[in-house]
Amino acid sequence: MNETVAFLNSIIWSRGLIYLCLGVGLYFSIRTRFMQVRGVGEMIRLMFRNQRSAAGVSSFQALAMSLSGRVGIGNIAGVATAIASGGPGAVFWMWTVAFLGASTAYIESTLGQIYKEKDDDGRYRGGPAYYIEKAMGQKWYAWIFAFTTVIATGLLLPGVQANGIAASVQNAWGVPAAVSAVCIVIALGIIIVGGVTRIAVFAEIVVPFMALAYLLAAVVVMVVNADQIPAVLSLIVRSAFGADAAFGAMLGLAIEWGVRRGVYSNEAGQGTGPHAAAAAEVAHPAEQGYVQAFSIYVDTLLVCSATAFMILTTGMYNVQGPDGSMIVNRLPGVAMGPAYTQAAVDSLAPGLGASFVALAVMLFAFTTIVAYYYMAETNIQYINRKFHRPWTIVVLKVAIILSVAFGAVRSAGTAWDLGDLGVGLMAWLNIVAILILQRPALTALKDYEAQKRAGRAPVFDPDALGIRNADLWRR
């Protein structure tokens, strides 16, 4: 199985996908006139609007749900892996794909809002499968994405998060992976039984707390090592372009691992964000486009950067060269992953760092597992529009619980390879779709900005804009 998964990843995560993610982000940045820069103030304003209904959650809850999926083990172990495999320069390319990817997140999330619909319980549902069917008219493609997402978020990706929890807890407290697996399964079962409302409330409470606590710890580490920050910034930039003597031969790997782990972390273009975006109650689809674009900044420019600076300013990392030799070997015998971050914090607070990072990983990764369940459930609901088979939701709940239990006790390499497979498949399918379907999202942006300039509270009228099949928005 390991050989098969590695072979598939070598195809899916070829340089084609690496440069596609960067190119699409640049293209949408130009097409939106860099809304990710112009619209920062609007993003923050919209984020705290408390509009909600029986059908939809508030913008902040949708942001929290989205961040619960984006902020996970990729923000800790993923950053460490990128540095270990691509050198410090990988951090620069993570920043790059996040900055450009914010515009991609706007496009896909706005499309998710435009083409959302209500499920049998009267709650908003949406995502790539919905907008592929309604805007592109290709049901077969929509079904392929739906099935792929169920497999990716229901079976492949949860195991990575569970594995990260088990590894960090074992490193901090010596708890066996099997015990961690049982605890995760019980906690997950309690949350997912409650459905989307309980998931939204859970994310709204936990996500801000865990993110602020982690960022505060990073600030403390950076203040203590303030004299190292200029040198670290210089190292990141020089390594990103192959100008550093030690990492000069790793330019290609820096780009590859930076983009790969950047996409894994912030999920821009992957098609996960639109699921949470569609659940929000808003007056205009562009509002969630703005909010979800901001979530990319929070994920990568804040949380991932916090991890990177903790690791690099303390020097607690290894780097493996293209030929397998160790270019930097400051943690001999330590496997890449959350242990790097644990060692970084522990260097300043001996005996406490490993425990703090383990707690952060538990919260980050667990909320991501919950978000993955919601995405898988949404795509099951899409499939069930035609067949109405409630037992499929029960099967999904059992499947994700088994995936979590399996992932917790598997080797980290296997878990990450399976996760990469899921991310890559979703990214290829969704990026192709949003390149074809971009016009309604761009039209919505122009309409929103025009109404704001006119001093009106923006409302959305799809018929007036020539957008078809947005039935839920017809007035």
Side-chain angles (χ1 to χ4, degrees):
M1 184 184 72
N2 290 344
E3 291 177 359
T4 301
V5 172
F7 172 73
L8 291 173
N9 272 328
S10 69
I11 297 173
I12 293 170
W13 278 103
S14 64
R15 292 194 173 181
L17 182 55
I18 301 297
Y19 294 116
L20 179 65
C21 291
L22 289 171
V24 166
L26 177 60
Y27 171 73
F28 284 136
S29 295
I30 295 170
R31 291 283 285 155
T32 61
R33 294 174 292 118
F34 287 89
M35 61 78 58
Q36 69 265 50
V37 178
R38 297 185 296 108
V40 171
E42 188 70 0
M43 295 175 191
I44 296 172
R45 187 187 71 82
L46 291 170
M47 183 172 61
F48 294 105
R49 289 192 65 183
N50 199 34
Q51 182 179 357
R52 70 180 79 186
S53 69
V57 300
S58 69
S59 287
F60 186 78
Q61 285 181 318
L63 173 69
M65 289 170 65
S66 173
L67 281 173
S68 67
R70 300 187 199 278
V71 179
I73 194 65
N75 296 78
I76 298 177
V79 174
T81 302
I83 292 172
S85 302
V91 177
F92 176 87
W93 294 106
M94 290 185 75
W95 292 338
T96 303
V97 78
F99 174 73
L100 297 176
S103 63
T104 306
Y106 165 81
I107 296 292
E108 62 181 359
S109 297
T110 302
L111 287 172
Q113 263 289 329
I114 291 174
Y115 297 104
K116 67 184 180 182
E117 58 184 49
K118 288 185 178 179
D119 63 16
D120 293 339
D121 296 323
R123 300 192 182 280
Y124 293 140
R125 295 280 185 176
Y130 292 81
Y131 58 67
I132 289 170
E133 177 183 328
K134 292 185 175 185
M136 191 186 296
Q138 302 297 328
K139 291 185 180 181
W140 63 272
Y141 194 10
W143 273 64
I144 289 175
F145 184 89
F147 276 115
T148 300
T149 303
V150 171
I151 298 299
T153 59
L155 294 177
L156 301 180
L157 289 163
V160 182
Q161 308 297 323
N163 186 271
I165 294 174
S168 62
V169 168
Q170 188 167 31
N171 186 52
W173 306 310
V175 178
V179 175
S180 295
V182 172
C183 294
I184 298 168
V185 163
I186 293 172
L188 179 63
I190 293 171
I191 296 297
I192 64 177
V193 166
V196 63
T197 302
R198 185 178 295 178
I199 291 171
V201 172
F202 174 77
E204 183 181 34
I205 295 171
V206 174
V207 171
F209 167 77
M210 71 180 187
L212 288 173
Y214 190 73
L215 290 173
L216 180 61
V219 169
V220 171
V221 173
M222 291 170 65
V223 168
V224 173
N225 294 286
D227 59 322
Q228 298 292 323
I229 293 177
V232 166
L233 285 170
S234 175
L235 178 64
I236 289 173
V237 174
R238 286 185 287 108
S239 301
F241 297 96
D244 185 85
F247 306 106
M250 299 185 68
L251 174 58
L253 288 174
I255 298 173
E256 176 183 345
W257 281 98
V259 174
R260 189 168 177 169
R261 286 292 166 255
V263 172
Y264 192 100
S265 175
N266 63 51
E267 301 180 358
Q270 185 185 331
T272 53
H275 296 93
E281 179 69 62
V282 294
H284 196 288
E287 292 181 9
Q288 265 301 294
Y290 276 99
V291 171
Q292 296 301 326
F294 187 73
S295 73
I296 305 297
Y297 288 165
V298 175
D299 174 90
T300 304
L301 299 186
L302 291 181
V303 183
C304 283
S305 295
T307 301
F309 276 101
M310 282 195 288
I311 291 173
L312 294 174
T313 57
T314 58
M316 295 297 177
Y317 63 96
N318 300 332
V319 178
Q320 182 174 305
D323 59 355
S325 62
M326 298 299 292
I327 297 176
V328 176
N329 190 18
R330 293 169 183 156
L331 292 173
V334 177
M336 67 178 72
Y340 285 14
T341 314
Q342 288 176 310
V345 180
D346 210 53
S347 67
L348 298 179
L352 296 177
S355 296
F356 173 78
V357 174
L359 287 171
V361 168
M362 287 170 62
L363 290 174
F364 282 13
F366 183 75
T367 53
T368 300
I369 294 171
V370 173
Y372 285 154
Y373 168 77
Y374 172 72
M375 296 169 202
E377 183 188 85
T378 295
N379 283 276
I380 289 288
Q381 293 283 13
Y382 168 80
I383 295 168
N384 275 343
R385 294 186 311 166
K386 303 296 182 184
F387 296 102
H388 297 286
R389 294 172 177 172
W391 58 264
T392 54
I393 298 295
V394 177
V395 171
L396 171 63
K397 291 177 179 178
V398 173
I400 196 168
I401 286 173
L402 291 176
S403 171
V404 164
F406 177 75
V409 298
R410 289 297 298 173
S411 69
T414 301
W416 277 97
D417 285 346
L418 288 170
D420 282 341
L421 185 63
V423 170
L425 285 171
M426 290 179 65
W428 271 112
L429 291 169
N430 185 61
I431 288 174
V432 169
I434 62 177
L435 279 171
I436 296 172
L437 304 176
Q438 59 187 278
R439 192 189 71 81
L442 295 172
T443 300
L445 178 62
K446 292 179 182 178
D447 177 61
Y448 184 85
E449 292 179 336
Q451 292 188 58
K452 289 288 291 184
R453 285 194 299 270
R456 300 195 301 269
V459 293
F460 186 63
D461 183 354
D463 293 330
L465 299 174
I467 297 175
R468 298 181 299 169
N469 298 325
D471 300 330
L472 200 64
W473 289 95
R474 286 206 175 97
R475 301 180 186 279

